[in-house]
Structure formats: C-alpha cells, structure tokens
Amino acid sequence: MSHSPNPNDQNDQNPDPSRRSRSLSLPEFFFKEQALKHVILKMHHHHHHSNQSNQNNNHNNHSNHNRHISLSPTPSPPSSPEPTTDLTALVVDPPAPNPTSLLSDNVLNLIFSKLPVSQYPSNSLVCRRWLYLHGRLVQSLKLFDWSFLDSGRLFHRFPNLSDVDIVHACIRVPRNAGIIVTRKYFSVHLDSSLSRDRFVGEEDLLPSRVIDSGLKSLAESYPNLRRLVVIGASVDGLSSVAKECQLLQELDVIACGDLSLKGISGCMNLQIMKLIGFVDGFFGSVVSDIGLTILAQGCRRLVRLELCGCEGSYDGIKAIGQCCQMLEELTLSDHKMDGGWLAAVSFCGNLKILKVQSCKGSIDSRPGPDEHLGSCPALEALHLQRCQMRDKQAVRALFLVCRGVREIVLQDCYGLDDEVFGLATVCRRVRQLSLEGCSLLTVEGLESVILSWKDLQRLRVVSCNKIMDSAVTPALATLFSVLKELKWSPDSRSLLSSSLAETDLRKKGGRFFKSYKG
Amino acid sequence: MKFCAVKQYFDDENNNNITSGASTTMIPLPNVESHPLAILITYCKKHLKIKANNADNKKETEKEMEQYEQELLKKVMPQELTELILAANYLNFKEALDFFCRAVASAIQNKSIEFVRKFFGLESDFELGEEEKLREEFAWSFEGVDED
C-alpha cells in the first residue's frame, strides 16, 4: 500500500458536486464536471480511501443543509464510483482538471482573507462555490428587508453570523425612500408620504408576533449569536433568543415595553445592554421601574447599561445597583426618571463611569436631602453631555453623589454658569477636566474651581466663548505650566477654522475668510 | 519547517526501516507537477540561503526575500500560481503557500467579476435570474457585509 501524506484538500473538494444544483446528465457528469473528473482520477489510485471520505462528506453536507430552506432544487449526489475503472479506460487522455477547483476551501479562504473586504460582493458573484465560501466569512449584518429573513435566505446565505441588526427590516418603508431622518441615535429611511404627527407610526412597525416569529427562527439558526439589535419584540421573541443564544453578550432593545423584558431574563451572559424606550416622534413604549427590576434580576452580569428615554425612579436604579454587581458603566440618555433617582446610584458598588446625556429637564427634580444621597464608591468618571444645568440643587446632588470622581467631562451643557460650576468643588479628587461648548463659563469661575483641585493633571478647554485668553491670571498660568496635559482653545473661532481645514472650503473661500479674520 | 509533508515521510520511513541505514530515494508526490516543484525547491533554497546570510538582521532578510519574490513573480505566469499554491499546500510549505496566496490576491484585487472568472478558469454556474436576484439582495436587503 503506497504511503501518501494526507493532503488536506482531498476531502474538501468532494462537496463541490453535491452543491451544484442542476442534476447532471451522464455525459455532462463525466465531461464537464472538472472537479468530479479529478475525483474519478484519484479514486482510480486510492479506491477505498476516497470512496469512504466521499460518502462521509456528502452525508455531512446534507445534514447541514437540512435546516435551511433551500430555494434551489435539492442536489443529486454523484453516482457511485464502481463504473469508474471502465469509463476512465474509455476516455482517452482526459484534459487536466481545472486547478482552481482543486483548491481546498481553506486555501481559498486564505486568498480571500488577503483581499479587501469591499471586494466581497463582487467576488461572491464569481460562481456558486465562491458565493458559498464568502457567505461563511460574514459575521456581522444589518438587515433591511424582512422577507430576506422570513424566507430563510438569510440563514442560507450567511450561516456564521454573530452580530445581527434587524431594526430596519421591521420598519415598513418603500424601497427607494430617499429621505433619512436621524433622531439622536436612531435613523430611518422615509419617503415623502408623511401625513401623521410622527415619523414612524405604529402601523409602520411590523406587528410584534411577526417580529417574534422572526426572532425565533433567527435564534435557532444562530446559536452562537453574540450581538443583537431588535425592535418591537415581545416576551416570546426575546425569550426564544435568551433560550437559544446562550452566548449573547450585547443586546439593544428598542421600543419593547416593560413586560417584554421578562423574556430577556434568561440571558445569563448578557454584558452590554441598551434599552431604548421612548424616542420623540418615533415610537413610545414605556420602560419603568417594573422593567428595570425585571432586567436587573435577570441579567446580573451586566457590565454596561444604557437607558434611553426610560422612565423609572429610585426603586429601579436601586434594583439595578443591588442586582448587577458587576455594572461598570451606566448611561442615561434623555431620561424621564422621577425625582430622587440620584440617591440610588450609590447602590452601584462597582460603577466606574456615569454618563448623563441629552437631559432637557432637570437632572433630578427632587434629589432629596444630602444625608440620603450617599456617594458612589468606585466612580471614576462623570460625563455630562447636552444637559441642562440650571437646577442648582440637582447639579449639587449629582456632584455629591460623584464626589470621588477623577474625571469630569462637560460637553455642550447649557445653563452652566460660574455659580453652577462652582458646585463642582465638592469633588476633591479630580485629575482630569474637559470643558467643551460651555458658553457661560468665565475664567474666574473656572479658576475658582480648578485652583482648589490639588490633583488636577489634565485640562482641556475647547470652544467656551466667554473664556478669554486675556483674563488668565498668573496663578492660573502657573497651574497650566505644571499640568501634564493642556489643551487650551476656548476661542470658538479657532475651532471653526480647524474644522474647516478638514474640508477644502478654506482654500476655496480663502479670500472671504481673510477679510473675516481681521 | 519547510516541506513538512516530505519530512513526515522521512520520519515515517526511518521508523519503519530501522535496519536500513540510508533512507530511500523515491518519494511519490502524485499531486505535484515537476514544474511547480522545481520552483518551490528554488524558493526554499533561496529562503534558507538568505536566512543564513543575514542571521542577525531580520529586516535584511525580509528585504532580500521581498526582492527575490518580486523577481520570481515576474517570471511566473499568473495561471501557474494556482498550481504553485496546490503544490505548496500539498507539501505543507507554509511560507510559500502564504506568499503565493498573496500573489494571487494582489493579482485579482479590485478586479471585475469577469476578470476573476477568467483568471481562475471558472464559469458562472448561476442560473439565469439568480445572479440578478443576488445583486438585488446585495443592494437592498442588507448592509454591513463589507465591514470587518
């Protein structure tokens, strides 16, 4: 028996014939199917060995494809190799097999990995085999067409997805809708037939039972799903995801109410969660304390939680703090929380970053007495973006809760005048401060706070109009000289020209801007 | 390790024929044509030589190797590349496999579907409406396929 080192391409090219969807007539089979011809030649040499592996592979491929709805007619397996020996004698001097079809899947994938991924769509259309191989390389997808999922084409084309976003597929929009409406963290294509007071009405969203059944097939097809973005699902859909996708780590849930969160409570390994309840002009579902408590009790391994447009109060945040011991980052966007929630933040024993974004009303309308506020023990960073800071009591309560913080970022916050900023002196350990777009703050206000911060090492002041270079005092200048890092560009105009420099506008309008600079 | 397949053969041989001192001379390689084998052997020898010359300096090795590779590519026909890949794969010669795959990738990078088909000698085995349907799907049904 001749010894041959096992070539790794021998087994792989056998699946090729079984994937061809046309049933092959006998002459075609022998004269046109190059790959198969090589198989025949090889079987002539190693009859038993390849025969066994051939059958094994066919069996494997059929069981893999059983789950998927195949739109092409089922492939016919190649006929048995017994007549081979006679027929190769008949075919005199067959032409050499096409070398490419001999390339194993591994080798082809090696080549594909060296190509730019933008060439993927074009490469997929080369031939069936390449379509198949490329489909297996795709791991992340954003779906736009519900029927692609419904018909099963999605699972057939891309069996290895680990990151799926089905939001846009659930919103019924005509295909050539040319308008994109973006609201904060959500954007959708629309057409011009808007006759309602909302951009996306209830009727535009698929009914939740449809979404649930879609989620069920999705979960069954991708048990290794790692990230999912879903809209309008209810308990059934979410619980089937929780049941099948044990590896799910990241979940974005949009417009699912309180009770549907019961479905998520099975997601043991969930670490990152984004809950969008209410988006003005789009959809309004309510996430309240009930939902937050259900979430907290179900997903105890949460590390990052983002609540957008959610209601709730002290109780909800307390539940999260007590149940999710590993929570490190909490973000509240456009919150609709009842007053008094700030005091519950101190329950989050491991919280490192607190972010409050787009808060139009007061940060906390009724923070309560100082003694009950507590402080967040492990907190390191506080980020406030686009928040209204006129309610001094709320701001003070916030700084008190975050008094151990080392990094403060204030960006585009309005109502932040000297007095309000002065409240930040209660945070004694700040090492890093970033101010951007704080247009009411003056140098005096800034100075009075940062001179009291003995640990300050990094300072960034950008686009704060009332801060004048001329008003910088010697004390402040001394402080600047000892800082590890300083970015000082409070002059808004300089910010403008730096951003213009990225476009070519500055060159084109050169003459215009020259006179402006004065 | 270059030519791992051959080495494995030698090892097995030595285990089997403990009595015979020298190893046998003939190693059957049914999947490798003589031409690609010759190129691979030259590649291997050159690689080892360059490595030996610049034992300390890794950068020099790489630079020289690249120069050699560029020259080699000019002499090799694009169609021969697939044969070379097959040979390198069969012989389990990792560096050569990687190099020739890179060569093929750069040959077909950003080229049209037709070019790629011609290069590999492939024919479109899609049915009439299927390719159109696939293009439509790529355009409308999903997004994100060309992101890492």
Side-chain angles (χ1 to χ4, degrees), chain A residues 128-197:
Chain A
R128 279 251 171 86
R129 188 179 174 207
W130 283 41
L131 179 71
Y132 175 82
L133 286 175
H134 277 94
R136 264 137 197 76
L137 295 176
V138 174
Q139 293 196 315
S140 143
L141 200 77
K142 229 181 183 180
L143 196 66
F144 277 84
D145 182 7
W146 185 256
S147 58
F148 194 65
L149 185 153
D150 210 23
S151 61
R153 287 278 296 168
L154 175 68
F155 317 128
H156 181 66
R157 288 281 304 277
F158 306 112
N160 289 337
L161 287 181
S162 65
D163 175 352
V164 183
D165 178 337
I166 62 167
V167 170
H168 293 89
C170 301
I171 300 177
R172 276 190 282 239
V173 170
R175 186 178 270 194
N176 49 358
I179 309 171
I180 301 183
V181 177
T182 303
R183 175 98 176 108
K184 297 181 186 177
Y185 25 73
F186 186 76
S187 71
V188 71
H189 290 251
L190 295 176
D191 67 354
S192 45
S193 63
L194 298 170
S195 53
R196 303 165 287 271
D197 53 351

Side-chain angles (χ1 to χ4, degrees), chain A residues 2-9 20-22 38 42 46 71 73 98-104 107-108 110-111 114-131 138 140-145 148 153 157-158 175-176, chain B residues 5-6 8-9 12 28-31 79 82-83 85-86 89-90 92 97-98 101-102 104-106 108-113 116-117 119-127 130-131 133-138 140-148:
Chain A
S2 61
H3 168 86
S4 64
N6 189 27
N8 32 8
D9 54 15
R20 305 250 188 270
S21 71
R22 323 168 268 176
H38 182 73
K42 292 200 76 172
H46 310 283
L71 291 183
N98 183 341
T100 316
S101 41
L102 302 178
L103 289 173
S104 71
V107 174
L108 272 181
L110 190 58
I111 298 177
K114 301 183 192 299
L115 288 169
V117 280
S118 55
Q119 202 171 344
Y120 166 93
S122 139
N123 276 350
S124 304
L125 293 175
V126 166
C127 68
R128 279 251 171 86
R129 188 179 174 207
W130 283 41
L131 179 71
V138 174
S140 143
L141 200 77
K142 229 181 183 180
L143 196 66
F144 277 84
D145 182 7
F148 194 65
R153 287 278 296 168
R157 288 281 304 277
F158 306 112
R175 186 178 270 194
N176 49 358
Chain B
V6 178
Q8 196 183 342
Y9 186 84
D12 286 348
L29 293 173
N31 275 354
Q79 269 64 25
T82 39
E83 285 180 17
I85 290 179
L86 281 168
N89 188 33
Y90 184 84
N92 213 342
L97 180 64
D98 198 60
C101 284
R102 260 185 287 134
V104 169
S106 58
I108 62 170
Q109 185 159 344
N110 289 328
K111 292 288 197 306
S112 73
I113 302 176
V116 175
R117 280 189 190 143
F119 183 91
F120 284 99
L122 292 167
E123 278 170 20
S124 163
D125 49 356
F126 293 119
E127 287 165 4
E130 206 177 338
E131 195 171 328
K133 185 172 179 197
L134 285 168
R135 278 181 208 269
E136 219 182 284
E137 276 177 2
F138 272 109
W140 295 108
S141 299
F142 48 79
E143 199 182 79
V145 138
D146 48 4
E147 284 163 5
D148 237 335

